[in-house]
Amino acid sequence: MNQNKHIPLLQVKDLGLTIKNRKYLFFHKKVEILKNINFTLEKGQTLVLTGDAGSGKSSLLHILNNPDIPHSGEVLVYGKPLKDFERRDRVGFIRLLSSDYNNAINPHKRVNFILEQPLKINTDYSTVQRDYRIDKILEYVGLSSSIKYSYPGFLTSNQMLRLAFARALVMEPEILLVDSNIEKLDAQLRSHCLNMLLDCQEEKDTALVICLNDIGLIKHIADNILVLSQGRQEDYGNAKFIISKPEKEITKRLIQDYNNEYRIRPER
Amino acid sequence: MLLDIRNLSIQLRSETSYIQVCKNFDLMINDGEICSLVGSSGSGKSLIINAIMGMYGHDMKVTMDYFKFRDMDLTNLSVAERRKILSSEVAIIFQEARASLDPELPIGVQMRASLGSHCFDDKWYRWPLWRYRVVNNILHKVGIKNTKQVLRALPYQLSEVLCQKIIIAMALSRKPKLLIADSPISGMTSTSQVQILKLFHSYVENSKGTLLYVTNDLGPASNLMDTIKMLYCGQIVESGPKEQVINCPHHPFTQSMINAIPEFNRQVKLKMKLDVLKGDPPEFTKTPIGCPLGPRCPHADRECNTMPPIVKTKNGFFRCYYPLNMEKENESK
Ligand code: SF4
């Protein structure tokens, strides 16, 4: 994978997803979940997916995470289809960060096991190398390495969030996918999570794809924004530009709904 | 005064002893007021609600000096009796929506079942049809369009947000005197958030209800609230009307909650780090001596090793030795 400036890191062309809603034996209804999605993602950039509920944000994220889901169109990484990569390469390349850490981390396994498993499956590292890697990643996210032999149940919410980060970053991915559970975290933890994402982007030049509904947060972290509605791509471009001068109906409505009368604007 | 609770204390049983979760907690809610409890996760918000409603088993010990609901003094009643009285007048929206629905019954059956006879005042022969009508109406108000499908569905077939909306519809359809909402709009899109907040607003304005709004984020609903109580580690650290708390917060914890929202602070540039308190909230087994915020507080000093006293402000109070924004308060006077 040589870095050529003209080839973007991630390119999605004409992506579509259709599922069959089966009823009885012979009848089925075709439902289009996604249609004609096009975007590119450069290194160190942030793309935010937004839209109404049921507009296909998380389906798009799932396809990026697992290209084995049957879909039409192409997902290209450095100009090469993602499907053609070997599984172990691809898995290390794009990682999903589940910010719903309470449900995403297996409570019956020790921290060491949770972090070691992806390395064991996807790399040829020896035990010593794996240990070294785990220690390094724990130090990076700010956990002490003595935590390795405890169960996730002993950790506080802040440490659990860091563990989720560690698990996502163990394989040193170039693209990090973040699901929309980040909005359900409480205000303190959420800003903590955002800070860590920004840190990661700054130091390792990771590209981020995030599902978000909150326009205030989008304004803060996004470079590009992709607005979806009913599985169709409505708006795509620079976030600052689109939010300050929305043109499409749906974007206007989303921004108007966000700036509702129940939100205080402090004069400061 | 609708609800008046004095000196509530909650203890949780552990293997060896009882752990103090909440101490000296006072809560007073006026008629037609929207009162909000704001605190980070793990500060005991949900426990307090459970204690108030009498929803606890033997592993929780609750004592209080005084409990008054409307004109009834419920202080000396047993938990079961208290629950009986409160159940017809108070409705709760729980945090985990799908978990609080029955997984084996269709949504429609559950919604109709929750409409007891005490909500009904009309001729007796209208009773069966009345329930269907009320359920349909309220679902439209919450913003669910295909009511027929939803009413026939089981909870696992619906998304989390839809379940949340159904729980909200269920609670509102009973026309309660007091509605307790535990983070009702977290994780929704802004369109549905506005819809739900409008519904709460009209419920308070038109049907003379009272709302206790429990949340962990000051952002989306701050203008709906009348009074804000900041909760940290089972203790109210600051309380007051919304303008005062948001525009000139005195307690460092309130300030940090406000700083966590990028829009509230004009100085935050694109992609700048947001400032957060370092460390995490203490566990209830290891609460620090003195001010609970102590180890994490950026302004802490030696004095903070003792419990800070309550300092009264114009319409509220705060607990801190080194309050912020005091000049602003003096200017406005
Ligand atoms: S009393 Fe001290 S430690 Fe507590 S919030 Fe105030 S300054 Fe911080």
Side-chain angles (χ1 to χ4, degrees):
Chain A
M1 276 181 262
N2 60 337
Q3 272 148 330
N4 197 333
K5 276 233 165 118
H6 304 293
I7 299 173
L9 174 61
L10 177 74
Q11 195 172 15
V12 171
K13 272 190 198 162
D14 251 353
L15 189 80
L17 174 66
T18 315
I19 58 166
K20 282 179 188 168
N21 222 346
R22 224 167 246 295
K23 200 173 186 190
Y24 312 123
L25 197 52
F26 298 113
F27 299 102
H28 64 247
K29 218 166 64 184
K30 275 192 178 163
V31 188
E32 278 188 331
I33 309 273
L34 290 171
K35 203 184 171 189
N36 280 348
I37 310 284
N38 292 297
F39 65 84
T40 56
L41 185 67
E42 301 286 349
K43 257 194 158 186
Q45 271 193 344
T46 312
L47 176 78
V48 171
L49 312 175
T50 183
D52 280 329
S55 59
K57 286 169 289 177
S58 29
S59 307
L60 181 52
L61 212 64
H62 281 305
I63 289 181
L64 292 182
N65 188 32
N66 180 9
D68 293 340
I69 298 173
H71 61 269
S72 61
E74 278 179 321
V75 181
L76 304 174
V77 176
Y78 288 128
K80 194 177 159 195
L82 190 59
K83 271 185 196 167
D84 296 353
F85 279 91
E86 260 198 49
R87 192 188 150 82
R88 32 166 50 191
D89 291 339
R90 178 230 296 166
V91 163
F93 201 74
I94 301 184
R95 296 292 279 178
L96 179 74
L97 167 71
S98 321
S99 33
D100 184 12
Y101 47 83
N102 280 327
N103 297 325
I105 290 174
N106 188 350
H108 301 294
K109 300 287 185 216
R110 291 176 198 270
V111 171
N112 196 23
F113 180 89
I114 292 170
L115 293 179
E116 197 179 15
Q117 210 59 13
L119 292 175
K120 225 178 199 170
I121 296 171
N122 299 315
T123 58
D124 298 325
Y125 288 161
S126 64
T127 322
V128 183
Q129 276 170 319
R130 264 181 269 153
D131 252 4
Y132 176 69
R133 191 78 167 261
I134 290 172
D135 280 346
K136 227 169 81 174
I137 202 73
L138 280 177
E139 194 193 326
Y140 178 74
V141 296
L143 290 172
S144 72
S145 58
S146 62
I147 231 168
K148 270 202 295 190
Y149 302 105
S150 57
Y151 286 99
F154 299 144
L155 307 184
T156 61
S157 51
N158 202 328
Q159 285 169 327
M160 282 289 263
L161 185 67
R162 283 160 193 273
L163 178 59
F165 259 90
R167 190 175 64 167
L169 295 178
V170 161
M171 298 289 294
E172 299 194 338
E174 294 190 42
I175 302 170
L176 198 60
L177 312 173
V178 187
D179 60 6
S180 65
N181 282 320
I182 193 171
E183 282 179 348
K184 284 193 183 178
L185 301 177
D186 71 89
Q188 291 275 324
L189 269 183
R190 194 182 54 208
S191 0
H192 208 92
C193 188
L194 289 181
N195 281 355
M196 290 216 273
L197 284 175
L198 290 174
D199 249 343
C200 190
Q201 194 168 39
E202 226 170 66
E203 286 173 26
K204 302 195 172 178
D205 232 8
T206 321
L208 302 173
V209 181
I210 312 180
C211 270
L212 272 183
N213 293 320
D214 195 320
I215 304 276
L217 294 181
I218 292 175
K219 259 191 218 162
H220 185 63
I221 58 169
D223 289 315
N224 287 340
I225 178 173
L226 180 72
V227 184
L228 292 165
S229 160
Q230 312 257 320
R232 254 141 260 235
Q233 176 176 343
E234 290 286 336
D235 225 342
Y236 169 63
N238 189 300
K240 212 173 180 183
F241 187 70
I242 285 184
I243 290 175
S244 58
K245 284 198 196 96
E247 279 176 0
K248 295 272 168 56
E249 269 315 300
I250 170 104
T251 325
K252 268 185 202 163
R253 206 199 68 224
L254 282 177
I255 292 171
Q256 195 189 355
D257 278 341
Y258 177 76
N259 292 326
N260 54 42
E261 69 259 53
Y262 299 114
R263 243 171 227 281
I264 276 192
R265 328 231 139 247
E267 63 281 354
R268 247 191 291 165
Chain B
M1 193 78 61
L2 185 81
L3 184 71
D4 190 353
I5 295 171
R6 300 278 166 82
N7 209 354
L8 176 78
S9 87
I10 303 173
Q11 285 174 328
L12 285 180
R13 193 168 68 186
S14 72
E15 284 149 22
T16 48
S17 62
Y18 280 93
I19 302 165
Q20 190 88 30
V21 176
C22 164
K23 209 165 53 178
N24 295 341
F25 180 86
D26 295 350
L27 185 68
M28 273 158 272
I29 307 177
N30 290 326
D31 267 319
E33 188 189 28
I34 301 176
C35 172
S36 72
L37 269 182
V38 185
S40 50
S41 59
S43 59
K45 290 171 294 176
S46 309
L47 276 179
I48 287 172
I49 294 176
N50 286 356
I52 291 173
M53 290 301 292
M55 295 186 296
Y56 49 83
H58 295 298
D59 52 353
M60 203 160 123
K61 209 157 93 182
V62 177
T63 54
M64 53 186 101
D65 284 0
Y66 188 63
F67 188 119
K68 200 174 155 198
F69 183 75
R70 301 178 77 192
D71 301 328
M72 294 169 281
D73 192 347
L74 310 180
T75 320
N76 295 322
L77 295 186
S78 73
V79 179
E81 282 170 322
R82 178 148 34 100
R83 217 158 33 201
K84 208 169 198 173
I85 292 172
L86 290 179
S87 66
S88 61
E89 315 220 10
V90 184
I92 310 188
I93 298 163
F94 287 105
Q95 217 167 11
E96 280 154 14
R98 198 179 281 150
S100 42
L101 286 169
D102 189 332
E104 288 191 352
L105 283 179
I107 300 290
V109 177
Q110 295 185 45
M111 290 196 71
R112 265 172 263 133
S114 75
L115 282 171
S117 56
H118 63 270
C119 323
F120 180 72
D121 48 346
D122 210 342
K123 296 274 164 32
W124 58 270
Y125 51 82
R126 300 221 172 105
W127 164 245
L129 274 179
W130 172 80
R131 295 209 288 185
Y132 284 87
R133 220 181 45 238
V134 168
V135 165
N136 253 327
N137 276 349
I138 196 81
L139 280 186
H140 275 294
K141 270 191 203 165
V142 187
I144 294 173
K145 279 172 200 131
N146 44 355
T147 22
K148 254 191 188 163
Q149 271 184 31
V150 170
L151 284 177
R152 242 185 275 139
L154 290 170
Y156 78 92
Q157 293 169 316
L158 305 175
S159 71
E160 183 73 38
V161 171
L162 261 179
C163 286
Q164 246 167 319
K165 284 184 178 176
I166 283 161
I167 288 279
I168 291 170
M170 245 177 185
L172 283 174
S173 66
R174 306 182 42 160
K175 297 228 169 63
K177 289 277 175 321
L178 171 67
L179 177 64
I180 301 176
D182 193 349
S183 349
I185 57 167
S186 68
M188 286 189 185
T189 58
S190 41
T191 315
S192 355
Q193 282 186 347
V194 181
Q195 229 161 19
I196 300 293
L197 290 179
K198 271 198 183 123
L199 213 62
F200 282 155
H201 195 72
S202 80
Y203 155 76
V204 172
E205 294 264 285
N206 302 335
S207 44
K208 303 262 176 332
T210 312
L211 181 62
L212 174 59
Y213 190 93
V214 182
T215 176
N216 55 22
D217 191 359
L218 270 175
S222 44
N223 212 3
L224 182 76
M225 308 161 179
D226 289 330
T227 53
I228 296 180
K229 293 179 197 297
M230 304 298 297
L231 194 72
Y232 185 78
C233 218
Q235 198 180 64
I236 294 182
V237 290
E238 181 164 7
S239 139
K242 63 176 180 228
E243 293 89 5
Q244 189 189 324
V245 171
I246 287 182
N247 285 331
C248 76
H250 294 312
H251 200 277
F253 177 65
T254 321
Q255 181 71 56
S256 81
M257 282 299 258
I258 289 170
N259 284 346
I261 302 163
E263 255 183 318
F264 274 15
N265 199 345
R266 288 270 159 76
Q267 285 140 16
V268 170
K269 299 270 155 35
L270 184 70
K271 294 206 172 190
M272 214 168 85
K273 304 276 154 55
L274 305 166
D275 46 336
V276 285
L277 294 174
K278 55 187 189 305
D280 24 29
E283 289 163 38
F284 286 116
T285 42
K286 294 179 222 148
T287 22
I289 306 161
C291 179
L293 197 65
R296 308 173 67 195
C297 182
H299 308 279
D301 212 332
R302 197 187 311 146
E303 230 176 318
C304 303
N305 280 334
T306 51
M307 198 67 178
I310 291 180
V311 182
K312 285 234 154 58
T313 54
K314 228 186 297 168
N315 292 313
F317 66 86
F318 61 88
R319 284 165 187 261
C320 181
Y321 282 116
Y322 306 101
L324 311 165
N325 296 324
M326 282 317 269
E327 318 88 54
K328 229 186 208 173
E329 167 109 358
N330 294 336
E331 267 172 37
S332 61
K333 259 179 198 171

